[in-house]
Amino acid sequence: MKNDMSMEVLQTSPLWSDILPEDRKQLLGCLGASRAEYGKKSTIWSSGDMVPRMGMVLSGEIKILMEDLEGRQNVLANITPPDLFGEVFALAGAQSPVTVYTETGAEVLFLDVQKVTNICRDSCSFHRQFVWNLLALVARKNVTLNQKIQCVGQRTTKEKISAFLSMYQSREGKNPFTVPFNRAEMADYLCVDRSALSQVLAQMQEEGLIEYHKNEFRLTHLAMT
Amino acid sequence: MKNDMSMEVLQTSPLWSDILPEDRKQLLGCLGASRAEYGKKSTIWSSGDMVPRMGMVLSGEIKILMEDLEGRQNVLANITPPDLFGEVFALAGAQSPVTVYTETGAEVLFLDVQKVTNICRDSCSFHRQFVWNLLALVARKNVTLNQKIQCVGQRTTKEKISAFLSMYQSREGKNPFTVPFNRAEMADYLCVDRSALSQVLAQMQEEGLIEYHKNEFRLTHLAMT
DNA sequence: GTTAATCCGTTGTTTTTACAACAGAAGGAG
DNA sequence: CTCCTTCTGTTGTAAAAACAACGGATTAAC
């Protein structure tokens, strides 16, 4: 595998942090790395497939699709360089519940999960570093999933909003603060109807619980109902 | 650290699978293991604490508590031997959002996260195995969180139930199948009201979508609305 | 056997949400 | 500027859920 432009995105990925560029080539070998290019409208893998490798987007954009019980496919996420995908299911040895697809075309770096975990005989220090980075990454993903459940699991939209805003407020550490979502995305995250979200936000502002303008919010009553 | 009765539960934990009993003692050393006993009604750590170590229950029972925005503490999980706790937040380097508490008293084995990840110089093969086990464990936890979001994220209770039952049906691989929850627990998992759950279940049975008795369910229409 | 506790379903009421349709605001492209 | 698109809020209606309260059934405790 040659180094070229598209491999430079590795540097920006937390998966490769604290790994020297000169060690990268050898490590890619340890990890059974292979690169693949996909044209427009290609399916990288389908839901139900067993996926023995994890992918990293080098260029282009990748969509994670999941079909619901009625068979409608909806987009769970858009993945751009240098994001990982499929690592959780590959590591867990589980079927992929999602389809991975590219609309625009994409270039992907695949890593063999078996080789990632079977640290090589000479146990290169950068391989250890890589596993540690991976472990931290999966753990952080776990934390964000927990936070989402904490929001979505609330009974009413008002409580969902409260949990969501409290989370972002404490994450940003200031008040007012901004959230990286527009209304539609926020409704999607909270699994509620967009217009209902607007409605409840307006109601909460009337009640003096919050103030907001676009995606800047301010909690005016720290103890919220 | 001496081996004794309470350490035997290690054998039953997936974290220690494929690690020979004779290697365990050395590995515990590598991992900075320490054992602690807690009396009745002890707090092991509080929400907001930074937790540099993960815990494993050796005996007794441990409760994971989270307080909601109104300040009410509710039980997220009951942890019994040989379950792990705190590993995700320790690995992610995040504050613990939960309080860990024991009502009955408990004995806990703590492992130092730094030492877990800084694989020792001689890179003992069982240490590698341990990290791999840990990685697989965190990834599997991630998968179950995804599944929960898949259920809880549905808009209506009916859809939540459908997602939940489909998940268990395909997990069990048979029809009818049983779920390891009573109604209250199932409602809790789906984040809905218990009586509303009963209501919708009855309605779905009338519609011929499902049949059930206690916690045995049968999907009668595989394509569900 | 009696009592108590737990589990599950039912009912009725009130609150909340989803959904659809529309309208105004903001911003970008030509 | 004008057109077009995107984003956001509003309204009304129908559907759904939460909540509280109760009753029967099953099981456990004594």
Side-chain angles (χ1 to χ4, degrees):
Chain A
M1 165 143 342
K2 292 261 167 57
N3 273 353
D4 67 8
M5 285 298 293
S6 62
M7 296 302 279
E8 291 185 3
V9 300
L10 292 195
Q11 314 228 18
T12 64
S13 164
L15 196 55
W16 298 86
S17 71
D18 297 318
I19 292 175
L20 298 174
E22 56 264 34
D23 290 334
R24 232 170 45 198
K25 191 174 172 184
Q26 186 186 343
L27 180 51
L28 285 168
C30 296
L31 300 176
S34 66
R35 199 153 38 148
E37 293 204 32
Y38 292 89
K40 293 178 193 287
K41 300 182 193 297
S42 310
T43 297
I44 298 173
W45 66 66
S46 301
S47 67
D49 289 357
M50 289 299 299
V51 183
R53 51 192 194 167
M54 61 181 92
M56 183 172 164
V57 187
L58 295 177
S59 67
E61 186 178 295
I62 279 176
K63 288 184 189 302
I64 307 293
L65 306 174
M66 176 136 192
E67 68 177 34
D68 56 25
L69 292 168
E70 287 89 40
R72 290 176 306 218
Q73 279 199 336
N74 49 1
V75 178
L76 283 193
N78 282 312
I79 306 290
T80 55
D83 292 342
L84 272 190
F85 62 92
E87 76 285 3
V88 167
F89 307 107
L91 286 168
Q95 285 184 330
S96 171
V98 296
T99 294
V100 180
Y101 172 85
T102 177
E103 185 71 40
T104 59
E107 193 178 2
V108 175
L109 180 71
F110 286 111
L111 305 178
D112 186 316
V113 168
Q114 287 308 317
K115 296 203 175 165
V116 168
T117 55
N118 289 345
I119 296 185
C120 36
R121 287 288 151 222
D122 37 329
S123 78
C124 33
S125 68
F126 38 90
H127 196 153
R128 290 202 303 253
Q129 180 66 41
F130 182 87
V131 171
W132 163 229
N133 287 346
L134 182 59
L135 191 50
L137 191 143
V138 176
R140 281 195 299 270
K141 185 170 281 198
N142 213 308
V143 170
T144 68
L145 289 177
N146 272 307
Q147 291 172 334
K148 174 156 181 169
I149 288 178
Q150 201 52 35
C151 294
V152 177
Q154 301 298 320
R155 299 293 177 85
T156 69
T157 300
K158 189 171 172 182
E159 288 168 336
K160 291 182 189 181
I161 294 170
S162 296
F164 176 81
L165 292 179
S166 299
M167 188 178 86
Y168 267 95
Q169 195 276 321
S170 80
R171 188 183 296 178
E172 300 289 312
K174 55 187 178 181
N175 200 9
F177 56 95
T178 61
V179 301
F181 293 134
N182 62 28
R183 288 288 177 281
E185 291 165 338
M186 187 171 158
D188 212 43
Y189 182 88
L190 296 177
C191 302
V192 298
D193 182 73
R194 182 196 58 77
S195 74
L197 173 62
S198 282
Q199 219 170 348
V200 178
L201 279 173
Q203 173 196 332
M204 288 173 75
Q205 190 163 43
E206 270 185 26
E207 291 173 2
L209 292 175
I210 61 174
E211 293 168 11
Y212 65 95
H213 177 68
K214 302 232 178 186
N215 59 347
E216 175 172 288
F217 291 85
R218 179 183 166 84
L219 305 186
T220 50
H221 281 46
L222 293 187
M224 306 178 70
T225 22
Chain B
M1 166 145 342
K2 292 262 167 56
N3 272 353
D4 67 9
M5 284 300 292
S6 62
M7 296 302 278
E8 291 185 3
V9 301
L10 293 194
Q11 314 229 17
T12 64
S13 164
L15 196 55
W16 298 87
S17 70
D18 296 319
I19 292 174
L20 298 174
E22 56 263 36
D23 290 333
R24 231 169 48 197
K25 192 175 172 184
Q26 187 185 341
L27 179 50
L28 285 168
C30 297
L31 300 176
S34 67
R35 199 154 37 149
E37 293 204 32
Y38 293 90
K40 294 178 193 286
K41 300 183 192 299
S42 311
T43 297
I44 298 174
W45 67 65
S46 301
S47 68
D49 290 356
M50 290 298 299
V51 183
R53 51 191 194 168
M54 61 181 92
M56 183 173 165
V57 187
L58 295 177
S59 67
E61 185 178 296
I62 279 176
K63 289 185 189 300
I64 308 293
L65 305 174
M66 176 136 191
E67 69 177 33
D68 56 26
L69 290 170
E70 287 87 39
R72 289 176 305 217
Q73 279 199 337
N74 48 2
V75 179
L76 283 193
N78 282 312
I79 305 290
T80 55
D83 293 343
L84 273 190
F85 61 92
E87 77 285 3
V88 167
F89 307 106
L91 287 168
Q95 285 183 330
S96 170
V98 296
T99 294
V100 181
Y101 172 84
T102 176
E103 186 70 40
T104 60
E107 194 178 1
V108 175
L109 180 71
F110 287 112
L111 305 177
D112 186 316
V113 168
Q114 289 307 319
K115 296 204 175 166
V116 168
T117 55
N118 289 346
I119 295 185
C120 35
R121 287 290 149 221
D122 38 328
S123 79
C124 32
S125 67
F126 39 89
H127 197 153
R128 291 203 303 255
Q129 180 66 41
F130 183 87
V131 171
W132 163 230
N133 287 344
L134 182 58
L135 192 49
L137 191 144
V138 176
R140 281 195 299 270
K141 185 171 283 199
N142 214 309
V143 170
T144 67
L145 288 177
N146 271 307
Q147 291 172 334
K148 173 156 180 169
I149 288 179
Q150 201 52 36
C151 294
V152 177
Q154 301 298 319
R155 297 295 177 84
T156 68
T157 300
K158 189 170 171 181
E159 288 168 335
K160 291 181 190 183
I161 294 170
S162 296
F164 176 81
L165 291 180
S166 299
M167 188 179 86
Y168 267 95
Q169 196 276 320
S170 80
R171 187 183 297 178
E172 299 289 311
K174 55 186 180 181
N175 200 7
F177 56 96
T178 61
V179 301
F181 293 134
N182 62 29
R183 288 288 177 283
E185 290 164 340
M186 187 172 160
D188 212 42
Y189 182 88
L190 295 177
C191 301
V192 298
D193 182 72
R194 183 195 58 78
S195 75
L197 173 61
S198 282
Q199 219 170 347
V200 178
L201 279 174
Q203 173 197 332
M204 289 174 75
Q205 189 163 44
E206 270 185 25
E207 292 174 2
L209 293 174
I210 61 174
E211 294 168 11
Y212 65 95
H213 178 68
K214 302 234 180 186
N215 59 347
E216 176 172 286
F217 291 85
R218 180 185 166 84
L219 305 186
T220 50
H221 282 45
L222 293 188
M224 306 177 70
T225 22

